[in-house]
Amino acid sequence: MMLLLLCMFTSTLAFKGPHSLAFKGPHSMLHATNPVIEPGRRDVCSLFGLATLALLPHRAYAGDEEYKDFATKVSSKLLTSAEMAAESRDALATVDWGAPKVTGLSTEEMAKRIDAGLRRECWFVTGRSLPELFSNSFTFSDPQVSLNGIEEYSRGVRSFYKQGSAVGEIVCTAATASDTITVVWRNYGTVNIGPGFDLAPYLVTTILKTSASDGGLIVKQEDAFEVPDKLDLLKYNLFKSKRPALPPIDSVACPLQQKA
């Protein structure tokens, strides 16, 4: 009960409402009602993560992430334990981070490679990415965290999600501008904050930017989604037997428009 009360208290600190951040990007037509730049899944989870701070003293993994607020930094200490860092190193040992870059692809060709790779294994969750498609100058950022490099990003998501329980399913991928690839995917399952808890199914829009001056490689990633209601997230974890049935991913309509 004390944990529940702490969760409800800290949630009021972590969430300022679904319209508190301005949405940026060319894909505003993807959501009917005020989509926002992803406030960081760590921020979405902080109602649980901050509450478990005193109960679960973990040693933070020393990465290159830059934290932009106190709540994110605190929750990261619960997330990036030495054990998770070791698992990430072992699980990603076969990924060739120094693989020769595949340059000269058109945006449409790059989109097809991204789609095929993600359908084989959704590295947005597993971290087993395709480094040959990403520039050495690749960056990921959201309002809470910024980092450099596809390896750092991959290890971060690998640690965040509980492997075998978290799921990423691709709805569709398309070249939506001359330098833009958009991926719509469904995410749900357990994350490694504190004792672990479940994310309810939701759609994520991932924007991948390419650069002609960098051989058409991916140089930037930005995620966006509708911010979940904090009470709905709490009820989803407390009343698991009442969770609605999840429709097949093939039944989810693709909202993307191909570039002209």
Side-chain angles (χ1 to χ4, degrees):
M1 178 58 69
M2 181 59 70
L3 177 60
L4 176 59
L5 291 174
L6 282 170
C7 287
M8 294 180 69
F9 173 72
T10 54
S11 70
T12 63
L13 300 178
F15 289 86
K16 297 181 176 64
H19 311 307
S20 61
L21 294 172
F23 176 76
K24 300 176 183 178
H27 58 299
S28 57
M29 76 286 187
L30 298 183
H31 303 288
T33 56
N34 299 314
V36 296
I37 291 301
E38 179 185 6
R41 290 177 181 82
R42 303 181 192 212
D43 189 49
V44 171
C45 301
S46 61
L47 70 161
F48 283 82
L50 288 176
T52 56
L53 177 61
L55 303 177
L56 295 168
H58 288 173
R59 188 163 67 101
Y61 171 70
D64 293 330
E65 294 148 323
E66 176 187 343
Y67 302 109
K68 301 177 182 177
D69 60 51
F70 176 74
T72 307
K73 186 173 183 178
V74 168
S75 62
S76 74
K77 292 182 180 296
L78 296 170
L79 170 67
T80 52
S81 68
E83 292 83 2
M84 290 179 200
E87 190 279 339
S88 174
R89 286 194 297 270
D90 293 342
L92 304 182
T94 59
V95 177
D96 186 0
W97 304 111
K101 303 299 183 183
V102 179
T103 58
L105 299 178
S106 67
T107 308
E108 291 81 3
E109 291 170 333
M110 179 65 81
K112 289 179 180 178
R113 292 211 181 199
I114 292 291
D115 185 72
L118 286 169
R119 291 181 187 277
R120 285 194 301 270
E121 182 170 0
C122 185
W123 67 74
F124 296 153
V125 170
T126 70
R128 295 185 57 80
S129 56
L130 301 176
E132 63 269 24
L133 303 182
F134 291 81
S135 168
N136 290 331
S137 61
F138 171 79
T139 63
F140 173 85
S141 66
D142 66 26
Q144 274 66 48
V145 179
S146 62
L147 54 83
N148 299 320
I150 185 60
E151 181 176 359
E152 187 70 18
Y153 166 81
S154 300
R155 295 196 184 282
V157 295
R158 180 83 191 183
S159 296
F160 181 77
Y161 292 105
K162 183 176 180 180
Q163 301 303 313
S165 298
V167 178
E169 300 173 310
I170 305 305
V171 176
C172 55
T173 306
T176 50
S178 61
D179 64 346
T180 305
I181 297 165
T182 305
V183 183
V184 178
W185 56 291
R186 184 168 66 186
N187 184 210
Y188 60 95
T190 308
V191 294
N192 290 316
I193 292 286
F197 78 100
D198 294 342
L199 292 174
Y202 65 106
L203 289 182
V204 184
T205 301
T206 293
I207 300 296
L208 300 171
K209 288 289 188 179
T210 63
S211 171
S213 63
D214 210 345
L217 296 171
I218 299 165
V219 295
K220 183 179 180 181
Q221 176 175 329
E222 186 175 72
D223 291 347
F225 66 90
E226 291 286 345
V227 177
D229 181 84
K230 58 183 178 293
L231 292 180
D232 288 344
L233 183 61
L234 191 60
K235 288 188 290 185
Y236 184 80
N237 280 268
L238 291 177
F239 307 110
K240 296 185 178 183
S241 63
K242 296 184 179 181
R243 292 177 179 178
L246 186 64
I249 193 64
D250 293 342
S251 69
V252 180
C254 177
L256 298 180
Q257 299 178 2
Q258 301 278 345
K259 77 180 183 71

